[in-house]
Amino acid sequence: MSFWWRKETHRGTSVVVKMENPNNWSMVELESPSEDDVDFINDGVSQRHHNKNAKQLTWVLLLKANRAAGCISSIAPATFSLASAVRRRLSAGRTDTAPSSTKFYFCIKLFLWVSILLLGFELAAYYKGWHFGAPDLHLQYLYTLTNPFAFKGFFDLIYSKWVLIRVEYLAPPLQFLANACIYLFLIQSLDRLVLCLGCFWIRFKKIKPIPKQTLPDLESGDNDGFFPMVLVQIPMCNEKEVYQQSIGAVCNLKWPKSKILIQVLDDSDDPTTQLLIKDEVHKWKNEGVNIVYRHRVIRDGYKAGNLKSAMNCSYVKDYEFVAMFDADFQPNPDFLMRTVPHFKDNEELGLVQARWSFVNKDENILTRLQHINLAFHFEVEQQVNGIFLNFFGFNGTAGVWRIKTLEDSGGWLERTTVEDMDIAVRAHLHGWKMIFLNDVECQCELPESYEAYRKQQHRWHSGPMQLFRLCLPDIIKSKISIWKKLNMIFLFFLLRKLILPFYSFTLFCIILPMTMFVPEATLPAWVVCYIPATMSFLNILPSPKSFPFLVPYLLFENTMSVTKFNAMISGLFQLGSAYEWVVTKKSGRSSEGDLVSLIDKDPKEIQRARSEPDLEKMEEEIKEKISNNKKHNRIYTKELMLAFLLLTASARSLLSAQGIHFYFLLFQGLSFLLVGFDLIGEQIAS
């Protein structure tokens, strides 16, 4: 045994430590000797080796402890620095505009005050001896509740009456609502699981749309391929941060110059922005690009009205297809070469949609969380629906439409804020097919501030409900198959557009806190923790680098359910904010990416549209703009009210010793608190 111990001891790694002072030291590892080089016969030598290694190990441990103490001592300054940064951002905060005028805000505020009163009541009862160790009512308390002679005082009388009211009147409807939301939650989770299995099958079988003919390279001089007339539209409105990169990228598309026309559809009401865009179009026109500038005096219908006006031009009848790009989108030069060939010999095909990629997905925590959602949307939802159903919602940009499809479907309509989904639904009802190309990407930009993202999500979730009310009679009367009607009504609209925000907000932000104060109604731990975590895991699969953000993503999605639920209700019942259209604020990150990418590209492939003086001037303008604009935080009262409600409920859950419920409510409340104080994403420029 002693031989084995000495042998194992000697096989440890030898080190040499040099130390000039406690803050300046180094450690060098020496290669361990082999077993043949060690003489185990001389016990004295073995003992000396053992003692030497022990002394070195002691020095190393002391030095490690010194370094650990230094790290611990730095926690306090880092904490104070973080608190100071938060305090600076909060000091510049501005309260959200007129929140008290909304009934939604009033209801949340009412819930908060009631929960605070109930928490005080429950704390008093707890110290009076009313201990509920589980959410369910214990049988040993029934005698006290039903026997009037068992009361010890006035408080016990009041609290026993409150418990009876909970048991008889509050718990049954609350439990019924909770069970209904759980069933909806399970149905939606099943739908999400089926979509993921469909995506797995597509990858396993390597299924992808393949064009019947690939186009020849234009530089080879062979123009005998499938090169139809293509109209390219770039709608924009007061987006001076990004107009240059979108126009530049579209003007570099590879397509015969005689068979392409670019329309810059400017709805800007800022005279300076109009002049900048006109000047950019003029520069490209002088370079030989077939490009025109259009500006509407009467700006009715927002983006749909802009596109509708452009399609009424007399020369549009000469074109067969139209490609669309928003102002922050930068298609690759081969975009048309990879999308238009899918239309050849496929007369039923009406739309080819490309995937989005994001230049600023790693900019902050907000853009990272958005990227998780959109990666799942394109990789799973759009791809699966495109492969198996030939139908999905048009994303409004980075797509190519057959102009005949638009005309057959009634053209662009201004009746909702989701004109892209509107035209896709009507095209599907008229029998047109759509394909999604997951391997063709178009670069764009994500909103970097919570204010911009919030307004974007409000429009994206109120519009589908407007559209559902308007399209339901047309869906029922259409000539498509019963299966397609059911898919569009129950899956496309109800399950994914209405039920998802409804149960997410109702279940986790209202019912769960209420069950803490009415413990006779329960939510199982698997509903609170395991199923949401599993669904979040599935959502993150298309973006595996985002796995460290699994928990923040789960909490943030529940936080965003307030905005989505409010938008869904306003769209469904045609409230005032349902028709609010706000252009998503851009920061111009894509422009910075363009300047970097110019280094890697062949100069022959890039037109001389932006000279060096122009780039220097643009850089000066950006610096001047940054110096002049002061940034501030916006205080969101709805989110703050819900934060305090959830934190109050988490405090109540401690009395019932509900571990999972407590941690979920605590961290979800903190998530609402961070969003309410606008501490996620960039600040808003004034």
Side-chain angles (χ1 to χ4, degrees), residues 258-377:
S258 61
K259 295 187 176 183
I260 186 174
L261 172 66
I262 301 170
Q263 286 182 319
V264 178
L265 311 177
D266 183 23
D267 256 8
S268 304
D269 55 5
D270 177 29
T272 303
T273 305
Q274 294 178 27
L275 292 175
L276 290 172
I277 297 174
K278 280 183 182 179
D279 181 62
E280 187 72 14
V281 171
H282 182 69
K283 286 193 299 184
W284 283 103
K285 200 165 189 176
N286 290 339
E287 294 291 336
V289 177
N290 194 10
I291 184 172
V292 296
Y293 173 86
R294 281 181 53 85
H295 178 74
R296 293 193 304 162
V297 179
I298 302 176
R299 300 167 57 246
D300 292 335
Y302 303 110
K303 181 180 176 181
N306 196 2
L307 295 173
K308 183 178 180 180
S309 174
M311 294 299 293
N312 289 332
C313 295
S314 58
Y315 52 78
V316 173
K317 66 179 183 297
D318 299 328
Y319 294 84
E320 188 176 355
F321 302 100
V322 55
M324 299 174 186
F325 303 99
D326 282 349
D328 61 315
F329 277 73
Q330 305 166 74
N332 293 323
D334 62 348
F335 182 88
L336 295 179
M337 305 286 287
R338 300 179 65 183
T339 54
V340 175
H342 289 273
F343 289 97
K344 183 174 175 58
D345 299 329
N346 193 354
E347 297 299 324
E348 295 181 344
L349 182 61
L351 168 67
V352 175
Q353 172 73 60
R355 178 176 179 160
W356 299 358
S357 60
F358 310 100
V359 296
N360 61 337
K361 63 182 179 181
D362 298 324
E363 186 63 28
N364 54 46
I365 182 65
L366 178 61
T367 57
R368 290 176 182 270
L369 298 178
Q370 291 179 68
H371 177 249
I372 294 173
N373 257 344
L374 290 171
F376 182 86
H377 169 69

Side-chain angles (χ1 to χ4, degrees), residues 206-233:
K206 298 181 180 180
I207 304 172
K208 58 181 291 188
I210 300 176
K212 295 183 179 180
Q213 176 185 352
T214 56
L215 297 181
D217 190 357
L218 291 178
E219 295 182 356
S220 65
D222 185 5
N223 292 346
D224 296 333
F226 179 65
F227 291 103
M229 300 289 285
V230 177
L231 179 69
V232 182
Q233 296 178 332

Side-chain angles (χ1 to χ4, degrees), residues 74-109:
S74 65
I75 293 177
T79 303
F80 284 117
S81 176
L82 178 61
S84 177
V86 171
R87 187 164 54 251
R88 285 197 303 269
R89 291 194 65 167
L90 293 181
S91 63
R94 301 180 184 178
T95 306
D96 199 8
T97 54
S100 57
S101 61
T102 62
K103 295 181 180 179
F104 187 52
Y105 170 77
F106 174 76
C107 293
I108 295 176
K109 192 174 181 180

Side-chain angles (χ1 to χ4, degrees), residues 162-178:
W162 162 241
V163 173
L164 287 174
I165 291 173
R166 284 183 348 208
V167 173
E168 295 181 4
Y169 301 105
L170 298 181
L174 183 60
Q175 188 66 61
F176 175 80
L177 184 59

Side-chain angles (χ1 to χ4, degrees), residues 534-662:
T534 303
M535 291 301 103
S536 298
F537 176 81
L538 293 178
N539 277 23
I540 259 176
L541 284 178
S543 51
K545 293 183 179 180
S546 302
F547 271 106
F549 301 93
L550 177 64
V551 174
Y553 171 73
L554 171 61
L555 298 174
F556 182 70
E557 279 301 289
N558 289 333
T559 305
M560 282 304 300
S561 66
V562 184
T563 298
K564 296 176 181 179
F565 179 82
N566 191 24
M568 182 266 293
I569 293 297
S570 64
L572 192 61
F573 297 102
Q574 293 184 302
L575 303 180
S577 61
Y579 296 94
E580 177 183 302
W581 179 286
V582 180
V583 177
T584 304
K585 183 67 176 176
K586 313 296 191 308
S587 62
R589 300 285 182 187
S590 303
S591 300
E592 299 170 8
D594 276 353
L595 296 177
V596 175
S597 65
L598 290 175
I599 301 174
D600 302 327
K601 291 187 177 180
D602 186 356
K604 295 181 180 180
E605 296 181 2
I606 304 173
Q607 301 285 352
R608 294 180 297 104
R610 294 187 201 169
S611 59
E612 292 183 5
D614 292 331
L615 295 176
E616 293 175 359
K617 183 179 179 181
M618 183 179 67
E619 185 178 358
E620 292 175 0
E621 291 176 353
I622 293 174
K623 288 181 179 179
E624 183 180 358
K625 179 182 176 183
I626 293 174
S627 62
N628 293 334
N629 284 347
K630 294 183 178 180
K631 294 186 175 182
H632 66 273
N633 279 33
R634 184 176 290 276
I635 308 301
Y636 300 101
T637 49
K638 294 188 186 73
E639 284 78 358
L640 286 179
M641 292 297 102
L642 278 169
F644 296 133
L645 171 63
L646 292 170
L647 292 175
T648 304
S650 69
R652 171 61 182 87
S653 69
L654 286 176
L655 303 182
S656 302
Q658 301 181 66
I660 291 179
H661 296 71
F662 165 73

Side-chain angles (χ1 to χ4, degrees), residues 122 126 130-141 159 163 166-167 515-523 652-661:
E122 294 289 340
Y126 183 83
W130 292 80
H131 296 168
F132 294 91
D136 299 307
L137 187 63
H138 285 196
L139 294 176
Q140 57 263 33
Y141 292 102
Y159 189 75
V163 173
R166 284 183 348 208
V167 173
T515 57
M516 298 298 102
F517 298 101
V518 185
E520 294 75 26
T522 62
L523 279 180
R652 171 61 182 87
S653 69
L654 286 176
L655 303 182
S656 302
Q658 301 181 66
I660 291 179
H661 296 71

